[in-house]
Amino acid sequence: MITIPYLTALTTLFSYGLLFAFGQIRDLFRKLFDWSSSKNLQGYAPICLGLEDFYIRRLYLRIQDCFGRPIASPPDAWIDVVERYSNDNNKTLLRTAKTSKCLNLGSYNYLGFAAADEYCTPRVIEALRRFSPSTCGARVDGGTTVLHTELEELVAKFVGKPAAVVLGMGYVTNSAIIPALIGKGGLIISDSLNHNSIINGARGSGATVRVFQHNMPSHLEEVLREQIAEGQPRTHRPWKKIIVLVEGIYSMEGELCKLPEITAVCKKYKAYTYLDEAHSIGAIGKTGRGVCEQLGVDTADVDIMMGTFTKSFGSCGGYIAGSKELIQYLKYSCPAHLYATSMSPPAVQQVISAVKVVLGEDGSNRGAQKLARIRENSNFFRSELQKMGFEVLGDNDSPIMPIMLYNPAKIPAFSRECLRQNVAVVMAAFPATPLLLARARICISASHTREDLVKGLEVISRVGDLIGIKYFPVEHQKHQDAGRKKLE
């Protein structure tokens, strides 16, 4: 739970209040002076209406140059960011032919497989020649190749489950699988900071949804006891089934799930555990097998294991792993498997090759080196940011480290100044985070060298001093000497 300092909360609320007030005034003048030129809707209600539309027009568009920056290179340690400009106060952004080479502190390329790789790339090219870019069919309609079958067997072996099914998109893996698992008469208990794909999947299932406080097993137990005692709404019949939804690493917080305690609570109350390992599989654990390996949890205690290939493995798509009966049921009932086009064969081959490198089946120890490097890089970068005085969220070994900004004016200031100094960062603000909890989300990769990280720290420190986001005391001498000693 993030506790906002009183003064910071006050100034942040005041800033949003000013933006909201001036936005309303501008909307009023727009109605007064542009009414004659407005289009006649002929009885139709405005298609874009409400606070979301107001937020986009009056707040987001002012700083949209900080989001969606196009790149002209693979998302490696350094990327080419396409320069853009606007002639209408950021309403539209126009690309130029110029690019800036920037240190990449924003991509999910945790193990560095998204760039050209000596083992993966030749095999992906060969798969492209053999199978073409697309299967042009669903898995049940000629869209299953030998590569898809091989990947499902490899994933099941890698995560320690009897069987697995792969889908073409990570987001859809959650949003389409959850409604296939549970429906009306069921109960979903979801962590309050779960990803939007989980939220949409839970809403679309028709099940009753309850929320427990972020990463608090004690509150999860309270909710479970209360809901089991009360039963279904109105009828008070027992729930048909109960599923608890959690993430391995929370993508906006960088925190590891308290999985041992949560699985213990679920077993006590006979609830199923659904674990989203989108950001943890491949990135943590001694052999890259995710949060279960990291925290010493037996995978048999996790009923449904979900993950994506878009982060650590440099590809696309997602998977569900579980019992053979569960996977067989999902293959017959999940719309994303029955109706959606299957994963592109070259993308499938990329995952197969990347997993084999991690397992050491390529005949080298590069996989172990990558895992050691991302752990070392993540812990070094996090500790140095904390020494500088930044408020950094997350746990050790997590490659995600959000730096809290809070004030809306500091979002564009931090992003633009970092870009000016050739460091590319990702900003996270409402609606991806609560309104008052804007942050810069740093993602570390195994492809970063120590020199890259020291360069990024120096730039972030200068920008932090400039815009005033070092909310904690600075350990001056340690910060000045740390990078140089490590390099020596």
Side-chain angles (χ1 to χ4, degrees):
M1 187 68 68
I2 303 171
T3 303
I4 311 175
Y6 178 76
L7 183 60
T8 303
L10 192 64
T11 55
T12 302
L13 282 168
F14 180 74
S15 299
Y16 275 112
L18 278 179
L19 289 168
F20 184 82
F22 278 102
Q24 292 288 351
I25 292 170
R26 292 182 67 186
D27 275 4
L28 177 61
F29 277 93
R30 182 186 184 189
K31 289 178 182 177
L32 292 175
F33 294 104
D34 292 347
W35 67 271
S36 59
S37 60
S38 63
K39 295 180 181 178
N40 186 1
L41 295 174
Q42 296 181 346
Y44 286 92
I47 197 166
C48 298
L49 187 64
L51 287 176
E52 292 82 2
D53 178 52
F54 175 84
Y55 177 84
I56 292 168
R57 288 185 293 103
R58 297 307 183 197
L59 280 78
Y60 173 77
L61 289 182
R62 299 164 74 101
I63 61 171
Q64 72 160 326
D65 60 297
C66 301
F67 302 92
R69 289 179 177 137
I71 63 174
S73 66
D76 207 357
W78 289 80
I79 54 175
D80 296 328
V81 179
V82 177
E83 295 182 10
R84 298 179 294 176
Y85 69 95
S86 177
N87 295 323
D88 54 7
N89 297 315
N90 260 11
K91 288 182 180 178
T92 56
L93 295 169
L94 304 175
R95 293 193 300 271
T96 70
K98 297 179 181 179
T99 60
S100 299
K101 193 169 188 63
C102 297
L103 177 64
N104 181 10
L105 294 179
S107 295
Y108 301 139
N109 185 23
Y110 296 142
L111 294 183
F113 284 117
D117 182 85
E118 61 188 71
Y119 183 83
C120 300
T121 305
R123 287 161 177 78
V124 171
I125 294 172
E126 177 58 31
L128 177 62
R129 290 197 184 105
R130 181 182 175 189
F131 293 100
S132 85
S134 173
T135 62
C136 297
R139 288 292 303 274
V140 296
D141 296 324
T144 298
T145 68
V146 291
L147 294 179
H148 292 84
T149 304
E150 180 184 355
L151 178 58
E152 288 177 341
E153 293 172 355
L154 185 61
V155 166
K157 171 188 170 185
F158 184 65
V159 302
K161 281 292 186 181
V165 59
V166 299
L167 304 173
M169 183 179 176
Y171 187 99
V172 168
T173 305
N174 276 328
S175 60
I177 286 289
I178 293 172
L181 288 172
I182 191 169
K184 189 176 181 181
L187 173 65
I188 290 174
I189 303 181
S190 178
D191 188 288
S192 61
L193 295 183
N194 272 339
H195 190 264
N196 181 263
S197 60
I198 295 177
I199 295 170
N200 281 343
R203 287 174 176 170
S205 69
T208 300
V209 181
R210 296 291 181 264
V211 175
F212 70 96
Q213 292 174 18
H214 172 58
N215 225 5
M216 286 187 61
S218 59
H219 189 245
L220 168 62
E221 184 167 12
E222 288 180 24
V223 174
L224 271 168
R225 290 178 63 182
E226 179 183 345
Q227 293 301 317
I228 291 172
E230 290 183 359
Q232 297 184 40
R234 293 189 299 277
T235 64
H236 301 292
R237 291 176 180 172
W239 299 102
K240 292 181 179 178
K241 71 177 80 167
I242 303 173
I243 299 181
V244 175
L245 309 178
V246 293
E247 296 185 40
I249 293 179
Y250 290 89
S251 59
M252 288 297 167
E253 285 69 37
E255 295 175 358
L256 272 65
C257 169
K258 293 180 180 177
L259 193 60
E261 296 89 342
I262 287 172
T263 53
V265 171
C266 291
K267 288 170 71 176
K268 180 179 178 181
Y269 293 93
K270 303 297 186 287
Y272 294 107
T273 307
Y274 181 106
L275 175 64
D276 177 346
E277 289 218 81
H279 289 270
S280 54
I281 192 68
I284 59 173
K286 186 178 179 181
T287 60
R289 285 176 165 85
V291 72
C292 288
E293 182 179 51
Q294 178 81 6
L295 301 179
V297 176
D298 188 346
T299 55
D301 293 336
V302 180
D303 302 287
I304 305 112
M305 299 182 70
M306 175 270 179
T308 65
F309 306 126
T310 54
K311 282 83 177 174
S312 296
F313 306 110
S315 187
C316 63
Y319 68 85
I320 292 288
S323 66
K324 289 182 178 179
E325 295 78 14
L326 171 67
I327 300 305
Q328 192 69 18
Y329 167 76
L330 291 176
K331 286 183 176 180
Y332 288 135
S333 61
C334 178
H337 184 269
L338 295 171
Y339 306 115
T341 302
S342 63
M343 274 182 73
S344 167
V348 175
Q349 180 60 59
Q350 166 67 23
V351 182
I352 293 171
S353 302
V355 172
K356 286 184 176 180
V357 172
V358 171
L359 292 173
E361 294 181 7
D362 64 328
S364 75
N365 66 342
R366 287 196 309 123
Q369 291 175 352
K370 285 176 177 288
L371 291 166
R373 196 177 305 123
I374 189 174
R375 183 164 55 249
E376 184 180 317
N377 285 353
S378 299
N379 291 337
F380 168 74
F381 206 85
R382 181 184 302 280
S383 65
E384 292 302 303
L385 286 174
Q386 290 170 339
K387 290 174 186 177
M388 292 175 186
F390 292 103
E391 183 177 356
V392 184
L393 304 184
D395 296 319
N396 286 338
D397 291 350
S398 169
I400 302 171
M401 46 205 74
I403 300 173
M404 297 307 298
L405 304 178
Y406 298 114
N407 197 290
K410 294 180 180 181
I411 301 171
F414 187 86
S415 179
R416 291 166 183 165
E417 190 60 26
C418 283
L419 185 65
R420 192 181 69 80
Q421 299 187 44
N422 298 105
V423 173
V425 294
V426 168
M427 313 311 295
F430 181 83
T433 68
L435 187 65
L436 301 185
L437 301 181
R439 63 200 69 177
R441 184 177 62 175
I442 305 298
C443 291
I444 299 300
S445 171
S447 61
H448 288 128
T449 64
R450 186 52 57 90
E451 291 81 2
D452 294 337
L453 299 180
V454 171
K455 152 81 173 173
L457 288 165
E458 289 172 349
V459 171
I460 290 173
S461 181
R462 286 196 297 269
V463 176
D465 288 329
L466 181 65
I467 67 174
I469 57 171
K470 293 183 177 180
Y471 296 109
F472 297 112
V474 181
E475 299 179 30
H476 291 287
Q477 192 60 40
K478 287 184 181 179
H479 163 56
Q480 290 171 0
D481 296 340
R484 297 186 182 89
K485 286 182 180 177
K486 301 269 185 180
L487 285 172
E488 291 169 4

